[in-house]
């Protein structure tokens, strides 16, 4: 009987902390990683990230995929990225210190325990033509393994972006 009461008390504490927003304050996200995207970039030792870039910038790792290109303006791609992000548990962070033009920073939190993950995007302007692309780096703030969650979220999000843009390659 004592064990049942103990479990009920713990469940009550978890529900209170989780659904009042206290857990977001208990697990702060800190600052985004501010990645310098390149084929020879330093990747984290922890397996808690996923990266997507065009082929000429994509580092060699099993936690990566080539990013799609779109025949669209940077502004329209940015708009679709921002509009579809909340469907995948991400919020655009506009108050990132040191944020640069052409970069977007999203904060994602896992559904149950609200662990924070940073998603950073660098938009790549076309040198010729109108094929716009981007590099994306998603990394968990806590832990050394994300059990594939950053990859799963990124692939689902990019599938939605490609559907909304009506094109992708």
């Amino acid at each position: 009987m004592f064990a049942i009461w103990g479990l009920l008390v713990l469940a009550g504490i978890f529900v209170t902390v989780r659904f009042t927003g206290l857990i977001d304050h208990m697990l702060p996200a800190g600052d985004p990683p501010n990645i310098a995207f390149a084929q020879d970039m330093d990747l984290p030792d922890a397996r808690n990230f996923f990266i997507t870039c065009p082929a000429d910038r994509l580092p060699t790792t099993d936690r990566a995929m080539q990013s799609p290109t779109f025949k669209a303006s940077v502004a329209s791609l940015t708009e679709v990225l921002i509009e579809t992000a909340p469907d995948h548990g991400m919020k655009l962070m506009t108050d990132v210190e040191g944020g640069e033009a052409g970069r977007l920073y999203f904060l994602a939190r896992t559904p149950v325990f609200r662990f924070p993950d940073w998603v950073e995007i660098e938009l790549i302007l076309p040198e010729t033509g109108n094929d716009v692309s981007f590099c994306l780096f998603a990394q968990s703030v806590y832990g050394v393994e994300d059990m594939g969650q950053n990859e799963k979220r990124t692939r689902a999000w990019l599938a939605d972006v490609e559907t909304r843009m009506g094109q992708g390659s």
Side-chain angles (χ1 to χ4, degrees), residues 44-142:
D45 292 331
R47 297 187 49 78
N48 65 353
F49 70 92
F50 190 72
I51 188 168
T52 176
C53 279
D56 63 336
R57 291 192 188 190
L58 192 62
T60 303
T61 177
D62 64 336
R63 300 183 77 76
M65 69 177 257
Q66 185 172 338
S67 60
T69 58
F70 300 93
K71 294 192 181 318
S73 68
V74 171
S76 63
L77 176 58
T78 300
E79 182 178 320
V80 170
L81 286 166
I82 292 170
E83 286 177 0
T84 55
D87 297 337
H88 299 277
M90 294 181 289
K91 177 182 174 186
L92 178 65
M93 303 304 287
T94 56
D95 60 348
V96 172
E97 194 171 313
E100 305 171 17
R103 288 214 178 210
L104 301 170
Y105 299 91
F106 295 91
L107 183 62
R109 288 197 176 261
T110 58
V112 177
F113 292 108
R114 309 284 298 153
F115 292 117
D117 298 345
W118 278 108
V119 180
E120 179 178 349
I121 295 177
E122 177 183 328
L123 297 160
I124 301 170
L125 304 174
E127 292 180 21
T128 59
N130 61 351
D131 289 342
V132 64
S133 190
F134 56 88
C135 285
L136 178 150
F137 185 78
Q139 184 177 27
S140 301
V141 174
Y142 298 104

Side-chain angles (χ1 to χ4, degrees), residues 16-38:
T16 301
V17 170
R18 166 61 176 88
F19 293 105
T20 60
L22 288 174
I23 203 162
D24 290 353
H25 297 290
M26 294 169 63
L27 295 170
D31 294 323
N34 289 319
I35 298 300
F37 293 99

